[in-house]
Amino acid sequence: MNLNKIDFNLLKVFVTVYQEKSLKRAAERLFVTTPAVSQNIKKLKEALNEELFVLSHRQFVPTPYSDDLYAKVFPLLEGIGLALEETKIFDPSTLQQSFNLDVSPHLQVWLGTSLFKTFHEQSPRSTLVLHTITSSTLTGLCDGSIDAAIHFEAENLPPEIVAIPLIQLEFMIAMRRDHPFKKSEAYIDELLEYSFGHIDLAYLDPNKHSRLEDLLKEAGINIHMAMRTTSVAGLISTIMNTDIIGPCFPPTIETVSQHVRLVRVLDMLDLTTIQLYLFIHQKNLSSPKYKWLTEIISDAVKVDSK
């Protein structure tokens, strides 16, 4: 392949289409029209004289040639981008791009608004994309389709992903205000007569389970987990309208504190707090753009968790 004949902008479009598997989504990321993306892919195909994608179930599936090309081109483009960033004074107000963050559902209830305010004030022409963290988040962090993730787990990570500690959040039990249990503090045995609800957090590591369940199981204590969900809003609504109780963090409950109260567990020292992390690719650690993103995320978490 003679790179002297290849427009590097075509390679940038190729990388985005490869990651998104969609011309439309690639166009949205690049702030261009879908026909423009299609035309660029056609130009690159003709320049290389190779088939790059095939349409299957409305997705652009890369060919083996594209897999090999992406593996070689993506690191080079990333390196060029970082080098260019480091040679100029970084000003977020000049950016015009999307920032894709995958966030634990526990955090979206309270973190999204303040994070967006700061983000929009400092980079008004950019777009903040907040999605719920999934089992494919680590893959997205590795291939660059996801800029950062915010979550609680920090085990079994790929070597290229770095976990940056943000803050520790207090673990408490949430229940409706007129719940039959009236105390503000409790030993776990006092709560076991009630059914529990739980937010599924096993996104990055499928072997992860509820810390509460694991600790009680180790102690030979049975717990009735009556509800499992990935929806914090769904769990809170159920807590507000039934006798079910569930582990939550104070910032999550703040907006519904007139209906829900928190009970501190006195004898679960291993669950007193849980560490929150920001996950990014190690190649971005020295990038001014990612340093800025890390800073505004860290500030938003610290402000909202007070």
Side-chain angles (χ1 to χ4, degrees):
M1 180 173 61
N2 187 352
L3 290 180
N4 292 328
K5 298 180 180 180
I6 303 298
D7 183 347
F8 272 75
N9 287 322
L10 298 182
L11 294 176
K12 180 179 178 182
V13 173
F14 162 76
V15 164
T16 307
V17 174
Y18 184 96
Q19 293 172 348
E20 295 292 341
K21 307 298 187 289
S22 163
L23 294 180
K24 181 180 178 181
R25 291 196 298 270
E28 291 172 351
R29 278 182 60 186
L30 295 167
F31 296 97
V32 297
T33 65
T34 302
V37 172
S38 178
Q39 187 63 29
N40 282 330
I41 292 298
K42 182 181 178 181
K43 288 180 180 178
L44 183 61
K45 171 188 171 182
E46 292 173 349
L48 298 173
N49 195 28
E50 292 282 354
E51 194 67 51
L52 299 175
F53 299 96
V54 293
L55 186 61
S56 175
H57 302 291
R58 305 181 73 176
Q59 279 195 330
F60 274 73
V61 179
T63 63
Y65 179 88
S66 283
D67 289 335
D68 184 57
L69 180 63
Y70 178 84
K72 294 176 180 176
V73 167
F74 176 68
L76 294 175
L77 292 180
E78 286 291 290
I80 291 171
L82 292 175
L84 291 175
E85 281 185 23
E86 292 173 0
T87 60
K88 62 183 180 180
I89 298 175
F90 177 72
D91 180 3
S93 67
T94 64
L95 296 177
Q96 188 175 347
Q97 65 181 85
S98 292
F99 287 84
N100 298 288
L101 306 183
D102 277 11
V103 183
S104 166
H106 268 292
L107 309 177
Q108 288 186 348
V109 176
W110 52 274
L111 178 60
T113 300
S114 64
L115 178 57
F116 170 75
K117 285 181 178 179
T118 303
F119 177 89
H120 189 62
E121 287 171 0
Q122 297 188 22
S123 189
R125 294 188 293 172
S126 293
T127 301
L128 180 63
V129 181
L130 295 177
H131 287 162
T132 299
I133 205 164
T134 70
S135 58
S136 63
T137 292
L138 287 177
T139 300
L141 287 170
C142 291
D143 68 26
S145 60
I146 297 172
D147 293 295
I150 311 173
H151 193 42
F152 299 101
E153 298 170 352
E155 300 175 9
N156 301 319
L157 297 175
E160 62 267 42
I161 302 304
V162 177
I164 301 174
L166 290 174
I167 197 170
Q168 289 191 334
L169 294 173
E170 185 176 10
F171 170 92
M172 301 182 79
I173 299 294
M175 59 183 65
R176 61 185 174 91
R177 284 231 162 256
D178 56 349
H179 194 278
F181 188 85
K182 302 301 181 183
K183 298 179 182 179
S184 60
E185 297 181 332
Y187 293 98
I188 192 65
D189 287 344
E190 300 177 82
L191 301 173
L192 295 180
E193 65 177 283
Y194 303 106
S195 296
F196 281 72
H198 183 258
I199 299 296
D200 181 15
L201 290 178
Y203 300 107
L204 302 188
D205 183 351
N207 297 315
K208 276 281 190 179
H209 304 290
S210 162
R211 296 173 72 207
L212 177 63
E213 283 182 286
D214 288 345
L215 286 172
L216 291 177
K217 185 177 181 180
E218 290 174 6
I221 300 173
N222 293 321
I223 182 174
H224 179 214
M225 194 62 72
M227 180 182 187
R228 299 181 190 277
T229 178
T230 58
S231 169
V232 173
L235 177 60
I236 292 175
S237 177
T238 305
I239 289 174
M240 289 170 55
N241 293 283
T242 71
D243 285 346
I244 199 172
I245 62 178
C248 280
F249 303 105
T252 307
I253 300 303
E254 185 174 347
T255 57
V256 292
S257 58
Q258 68 272 31
H259 304 293
V260 179
R261 61 188 176 89
L262 291 169
V263 174
R264 183 170 283 106
V265 182
L266 298 173
D267 57 342
M268 300 291 289
L269 296 181
D270 290 337
L271 283 177
T272 302
T273 59
I274 185 168
Q275 181 68 54
L276 186 64
Y277 296 91
L278 172 68
F279 300 92
I280 65 171
H281 200 291
Q282 63 178 359
K283 65 181 172 53
N284 295 322
L285 288 175
S286 60
S287 163
K289 181 173 68 176
Y290 281 87
K291 286 181 179 179
W292 166 74
L293 185 63
T294 299
E295 183 178 336
I296 64 171
I297 291 173
S298 179
D299 289 346
V301 167
K302 291 175 182 177
V303 169
D304 278 7
S305 61
K306 291 180 179 179

